[in-house]
Amino acid sequence: LFNEPGPEVTADEWAVLEEAVARLSASAAVTVMSGSLPPGVPPDAYARLVRRARASGSKTLVDADGPALRAAIEAHPDVVTPNRAELQAATGIDGPRAAAAWLRARGAAAVVATLGSDGLIAVTPDGAWAARLSRDLEPVNPTGAGDACAAVLAAGIEAGRPWPDMLADAVAWSAASVMSPIAGEIDMGELERVRAWVVTEEFDASHLRR
């Protein structure tokens, strides 16, 4: 497994990319910004892209961590999708439900936190839910599970689907993803099987830390 930083990005290169995102997001229902930032890119890069995309009328989803996530929150993205460690690091709060509520209060319209084998939780304008599998799986390759979740959420936002349905599908697609030995591949039969095991429940987030 190789996990290395990207090449150094110059200010001119970044300016070209920022303009390209602004242009393309004008015809996109949802603009997804994900991954760590390469060297040379400003820490508020995703925040800037969120603002440009929102100005073009595109919904925004950010999957990032550290300073990039904290800066993006201030630009009011429609959804952020931190994992458990990223959520705790960004907020300093141990409980994921309280941490997600804290992030939402700071600017994200919705926070969907991915919790590995514990599924995910979401604190949204329409309510808060937890979704998970009702039984354990033995993962084969966890690479790409977060990307599968982000893709399902983006598609669901574009289609205007209810949050409980989106979250159940996000859990199922992520689970099916980790069952494949090759990152990015999903067996549709496996997806149908695990989708039947998803349990979704609503919880009250109104009392959580603000």
Side-chain angles (χ1 to χ4, degrees):
L1 175 64
F2 294 94
N3 186 5
E4 298 180 354
E8 184 84 21
V9 176
T10 68
D12 288 344
E13 290 169 335
W14 170 250
V16 170
L17 176 61
E18 189 172 329
E19 289 301 322
V21 170
R23 182 178 68 256
L24 294 170
S25 63
S27 58
V30 182
T31 302
V32 176
M33 289 145 264
S34 64
S36 58
L37 298 176
V41 174
D44 68 340
Y46 283 152
R48 290 160 60 170
L49 294 181
V50 166
R51 294 187 183 98
R52 299 294 294 269
R54 285 172 57 84
S56 298
S58 178
K59 300 285 188 180
T60 54
L61 184 153
V62 177
D63 180 4
D65 67 350
L69 173 60
R70 290 191 291 271
I73 291 293
E74 298 178 3
H76 305 292
D78 293 282
V79 185
V80 293
T81 61
N83 62 32
R84 189 192 300 271
E86 293 163 350
L87 183 63
Q88 199 281 331
T91 65
I93 300 171
D94 290 330
R97 293 186 180 189
W102 189 92
L103 271 190
R104 182 168 185 271
R106 295 319 183 267
V111 179
V112 178
T114 58
L115 307 178
S117 61
D118 291 328
L120 54 81
I121 60 164
V123 181
T124 81
D126 302 320
W129 292 269
R132 59 178 176 81
L133 293 181
S134 61
R135 61 186 70 183
D136 294 333
L137 293 179
E138 189 65 37
V140 177
N141 184 353
T143 304
D147 296 323
C149 175
V152 170
L153 294 177
I157 292 167
E158 179 180 12
R161 299 186 66 209
W163 275 105
D165 294 345
M166 281 196 288
L167 299 174
D169 281 348
V171 169
W173 279 80
S174 298
S177 171
V178 303
M179 296 302 292
S180 172
I182 301 175
E185 283 193 0
I186 287 182
D187 183 301
M188 299 308 290
E190 188 73 22
L191 174 65
E192 184 176 351
R193 183 171 71 99
V194 298
R195 180 62 176 82
W197 300 340
V198 179
V199 176
T200 304
E201 60 181 3
E202 190 169 9
F203 64 88
D204 181 12
S206 62
H207 66 289
L208 297 175
R209 183 181 304 196
R210 292 290 188 269

